[in-house]
Amino acid sequence: VAEKTGYPVDMLDVELDLEADLGIDTVKQAEMFAAIRERWGIERDENLQLRDYPTLQHVAGFVRTRTGQQVRRKDSAAAPVPEQGRAIPGVFADLRGDDEAAAALPRRVATLALLPHRERFERSTAGPRAGSVVAIMPDRGGVYAELAARLGGRAVRSIVLPYGEPERWEATLRPLLDGDELRGVYWLPALDRDPDPAAVDLEGWRAATRLRVKALHRLLRILGPDFDGDQRFLVAGTRMGGAFGYDRGASNPLGGAVSGFVKALARERPSMMCKVVDFGDADPVAVARELLDESLFDAGSVEVGLQEARRWGVTVREVPLGTDEAGIALNRESVFLVTGAAGSIVAAGVGELARQAGGGHFHLLDLAPPPDDLDPDLLRVSSDREGLRRDIFQRLSSTGDRVTPVQVERVLAGLERSEAALAAIRMVEAAGGTATYHTVDLLDADAVAAVVGEVIRRHGSVDVLIHAAGLEVSRRVEDKPDEEFDRVFDVKADGWFNLHRALGPTPMRAAVVFSSVAGRFGNVGQTDYSAANDFLVKATASLAATRGIRGLAVDWTAWRDIGMASRGSIPKMMAAAGIDMLPPEAGLPVVGRELRLDGGFREVVVGRGLGTLLDSAAGPRGAPVRSPPGQRPGPMTHGAAFYDTHRGLSVETRLDPVAQPFLNDHRIDGTAVLPGVMGIEGFAELAGLLVPGWTVSAVEDVAFHTPFKFYRDEPRVVRLEGVAVPSHDGFVVHARLVGVRHLERVNEDREIVHFSGRVHVVPAGASATPDDPAPLDASLSDRLRYGGRAESGTEVAAKDDVYQVYFHGPAYQVLAGAWASGPGAAVGRMAAPLTTDIEPANAPMSLPPRWIELCFQTAGVLELAEDSHLRLPAGLEGVRLVEWNGSGPIHAVVRQRNDGAFDAEILDGRGRSLLRVEGYRTVAAPDTVDARRLEALRSGFRGE
């Protein structure tokens, strides 16, 4: 206990309550009991209830009962000698952002991802069943009545809950839950329009939040932990536009509070179906139909948007930051309005923004009183924390009252906030700016209006609003009192409302909200925190869209070295979950950089490894999915398919190097190697499964990271993964080809990304070529059409000479011959006929891989004319299929660019363009080619 609280044993009383007096919440209690069991060798008891051990005396009794031993006390450590004070207090004096460290962070942006049609998923074990009962919290637009009618047609009894009468909910629902009749809940209030912030006061706003999300918390508390399991569901409806606001801004941002709550509940109850379904302007009949269907299929997708007959999920993907100054310029005249300014992370961020702007006018808002820079305790918060804690304990004890660690921590927390506030002020001043500190309660609308009014009178506008205030208390939903939920939620949500009501039409250039990975992904014990943060994300998206300003929502992970998460057990919990703590030097530059180098609205996730946050609700592989109706899978995608929110569609196909010609005839030093062109084909096939009925227009940015080899001719499973995101003319599928090898020496499976790329998909019938294709080099075209050397019978690098050097077998001996056609240019003629390259031979193909291979091999011959190293594919900028059918002999026309890469084109006998390869790059193999074999190839190629 002393370890968990940071208090020496002589400051702990056995009658102290673990939570109320010691501040050990239920999450920490569970971890503490695990440590106690390990220390004393006590077996895990699945029936143990933490609530039965509320005090230290109870915990000691637990150990005595289970072991028959006594618990010994430990001596406390001596307090360290305090350091001298600094001009900028505590840890803040040495905090600086590092642009290189920030650039090394993956820039993850929340984005829409196309979901497969729900009926490609297996039927859920949850969902309404004949003879069961469901509860419906109604909307005011009539969806609930349509839904109840549909459920009645399935012999499902519906109970419509009355507004604002939770005591009746309990009396009605508890007996049904105890009798195992209650199947699920449909939560519909967020289908109604949000109140207009300009037309409603704070009480009206609070009434809306109570109805949409606080009442949902109350209902889950009434139902308790028994409302769980794979037979039960919670499906909530929102009306943010059908895409959660990621396309045009959220039309009703309070829906974000509901989506945040549902995501957190899904983390707490992973076996239960928890889903939020977002709509646009669909009518009640359509909404009711879709809600019912979503409760029957696809239990693994927690966020589902329905728009234009498509299903959308929300994922995060890495997006590079632009280099142009597309955002707003920060300078010494910029005006910043910052809430939560006495938080350590916010204070450090304020200092970094001031440094980036070279000053600025900062108005710092916080509930904490103005810091007293003469208070000697402020110098000890960081330098002598343990000594200060003991002194506070002794001061409080001098009154004669019993003192608890919670009381001491409350005083210490106030000093920490004062230290942070003082640091923020001094850092701004050190950067040449001005800092004005305002003590204000964000829940007091009049007080917020007075402060904001003062800022407007002084400056006339606000360049950057940063709403960073927040409070977090981790506790599972059944253990979280209503007043605690309200306190955590209101600081963010009511604070936002009061700020924007006070700002009104004041000119503003950017709005920034500090959210959390809990808002993006949900987190155990944080339904209130997740709800508040996801609301802020959606509200910022809406504001950016309606006012045309820069909107930025930052989903921070836990910070290292500063902030509450940097102490106690949280770092260990993060490490166990595979989540990296955020180094301050990497995180601090992010906000200023995002504001300066990007425009519009973005929700960015800031952190390194995200660990279990990226786990699927459907399990480690995702949810099984079927192929689209009537669509046969190709040779690279005929295996088992799964869908996961973040990995996307994954298809696991077993490939046998003996049975498949494209493997058996593609061996390097006797080992079968997956051809790069078949990886490209796999990407195209995967895109066809994700967006059935559409056309692959291009495969771009292909990288061949490492060869996929089949050792000892043993079959291997290749996994293709792809996420389809919307683009201006269709979809882009971000694809990877992954292999898993079991390493016997260390007895672990190692996952390796072998290939990666992007597939552009357009509607069927749309042009698959660029609007303005690059013209074919006239001299090369003429050689094909009007008597080039191949047609006149002049000697070329013949097939036998080529495959004395190349390693390819019959199915991949695609070159009948090749010849130079000018400096840095070559032509290759395709061999015909070729043996079958796939098994079964009639499996559908999305691209002609051997046309691409013809381009690769012709470029290779061109390189061998100058270099004695055989070269292997490293990547390419793009492949574009123009036409499947050509007449007459097929040729590849290849040109080397100034940067060393190759552009190539497949032409038929009439000179028509069939396929283009752009920016093909190679890497040299380590060994040189036998000189005699190489000379025969070179002499023919050059016509010598």
Side-chain angles (χ1 to χ4, degrees), residues 1 4-7 12 16-29 32 54 404-410 472-475 564 569:
V1 175
K4 294 299 174 193
T5 61
Y7 280 80
L12 301 176
L16 294 178
D17 185 277
L18 291 177
E19 188 156 6
D21 297 327
L22 295 172
I24 304 176
D25 60 32
T26 52
V27 174
K28 292 179 182 177
Q29 286 177 43
M32 182 186 72
T404 68
V406 165
Q407 293 172 305
V408 176
E409 288 301 317
R410 192 175 295 124
E472 190 278 314
V473 183
S474 290
R475 206 191 310 256
M564 293 299 293
S569 61

Side-chain angles (χ1 to χ4, degrees), residues 213 216-217 220 228 234 256-276 302-303 472-478 480 485 488-489 516-534 613 617:
V213 68
L216 177 57
H217 166 73
L220 266 296
D228 195 0
L234 167 67
V258 176
S259 62
F261 183 99
V262 173
K263 285 185 287 187
L265 186 68
R267 296 281 178 179
E268 293 191 12
R269 302 182 182 181
S271 61
M272 174 176 151
M273 176 194 274
C274 297
K275 183 182 288 190
V276 55
V302 179
E303 294 172 287
E472 190 278 314
V473 183
S474 290
R475 206 191 310 256
R476 288 181 177 270
V477 65
E478 60 266 21
K480 189 179 287 288
F485 186 100
V488 171
F489 183 84
S516 163
V517 290
R520 173 75 263 104
F521 304 106
N523 200 21
V524 175
Q526 296 184 337
T527 48
D528 44 8
Y529 194 61
S530 180
N533 279 308
D534 207 22
L613 292 174

Side-chain angles (χ1 to χ4, degrees), residues 7-8 11 79 375-382 384-419:
Y7 280 80
M11 291 171 61
D375 185 349
D377 284 348
L378 295 188
L379 300 178
R380 302 175 61 195
V381 171
S382 298
D384 183 22
R385 183 180 181 84
E386 295 307 315
L388 178 59
R389 175 184 281 152
R390 183 173 289 278
D391 286 351
I392 294 171
F393 181 85
Q394 292 174 350
R395 292 173 202 167
L396 296 175
S397 299
S398 65
T399 63
D401 296 330
R402 188 178 77 162
V403 180
T404 68
V406 165
Q407 293 172 305
V408 176
E409 288 301 317
R410 192 175 295 124
V411 176
L412 190 58
L415 290 170
E416 285 181 327
R417 296 193 71 81
S418 293
E419 178 197 42

Side-chain angles (χ1 to χ4, degrees), residues 86-89 373-374 379 421-431 435:
R86 301 185 179 99
I88 296 176
D373 57 1
L374 298 179
L379 300 178
L422 180 59
I425 294 169
R426 294 209 175 148
M427 285 187 286
V428 170
E429 293 171 345

Side-chain angles (χ1 to χ4, degrees), residues 6 62 124 223 258 264 323 346 356 435 464 541 648 730 920:
F62 167 80
S124 170
L223 295 176
V258 176
T323 56
V346 183
Q356 291 184 17
V464 182
Y920 170 59

Side-chain angles (χ1 to χ4, degrees), residues 473-547:
V473 183
S474 290
R475 206 191 310 256
R476 288 181 177 270
V477 65
E478 60 266 21
D479 298 323
K480 189 179 287 288
D482 293 344
E483 55 273 16
E484 181 178 284
F485 186 100
D486 294 353
R487 188 166 66 251
V488 171
F489 183 84
D490 290 349
V491 171
K492 287 181 174 286
D494 289 5
W496 173 270
F497 175 83
N498 288 333
L499 285 166
H500 284 272
R501 185 172 172 82
L503 283 165
T506 302
M508 187 164 53
R509 301 176 66 195
V512 182
V513 292
F514 278 24
S515 180
S516 163
V517 290
R520 173 75 263 104
F521 304 106
N523 200 21
V524 175
Q526 296 184 337
T527 48
D528 44 8
Y529 194 61
S530 180
N533 279 308
D534 207 22
F535 159 70
L536 288 182
V537 172
K538 306 309 191 279
T540 308
S542 177
L543 184 72
T546 56
R547 296 191 59 171

Side-chain angles (χ1 to χ4, degrees), residues 292-474:
L292 176 56
D293 287 347
E294 285 294 340
S295 63
L296 296 174
F297 297 94
D298 187 14
S301 296
V302 179
E303 294 172 287
V304 177
L306 299 177
Q307 185 187 78
E308 298 176 356
R310 295 201 176 276
R311 300 174 76 236
W312 299 101
V314 184
T315 187
V316 293
R317 64 183 183 90
E318 293 190 24
V319 177
L321 189 69
T323 56
D324 296 332
E325 302 286 330
I328 65 173
L330 303 178
N331 56 53
R332 60 185 303 174
E333 298 304 322
S334 298
V335 178
F336 299 83
L337 183 63
V338 185
T339 70
S344 57
I345 294 171
V346 183
V350 163
E352 181 65 24
L353 279 173
R355 283 190 286 271
Q356 291 184 17
H361 303 287
F362 285 79
H363 289 269
L364 309 177
L365 282 61
D366 200 278
L367 185 61
D372 179 2
D373 57 1
L374 298 179
D375 185 349
D377 284 348
L378 295 188
L379 300 178
R380 302 175 61 195
V381 171
S382 298
S383 62
D384 183 22
R385 183 180 181 84
E386 295 307 315
L388 178 59
R389 175 184 281 152
R390 183 173 289 278
D391 286 351
I392 294 171
F393 181 85
Q394 292 174 350
R395 292 173 202 167
L396 296 175
S397 299
S398 65
T399 63
D401 296 330
R402 188 178 77 162
V403 180
T404 68
V406 165
Q407 293 172 305
V408 176
E409 288 301 317
R410 192 175 295 124
V411 176
L412 190 58
L415 290 170
E416 285 181 327
R417 296 193 71 81
S418 293
E419 178 197 42
L422 180 59
I425 294 169
R426 294 209 175 148
M427 285 187 286
V428 170
E429 293 171 345
T434 62
T436 306
Y437 189 89
H438 307 268
T439 297
V440 62
D441 183 353
L442 291 178
L443 304 185
D444 186 332
D446 293 337
V448 172
V451 170
V452 173
E454 178 185 338
V455 174
I456 295 172
R457 285 190 294 275
R458 286 182 58 180
H459 305 285
S461 64
V462 172
D463 290 297
V464 182
L465 168 68
I466 302 177
H467 185 32
L471 174 68
E472 190 278 314
V473 183
S474 290

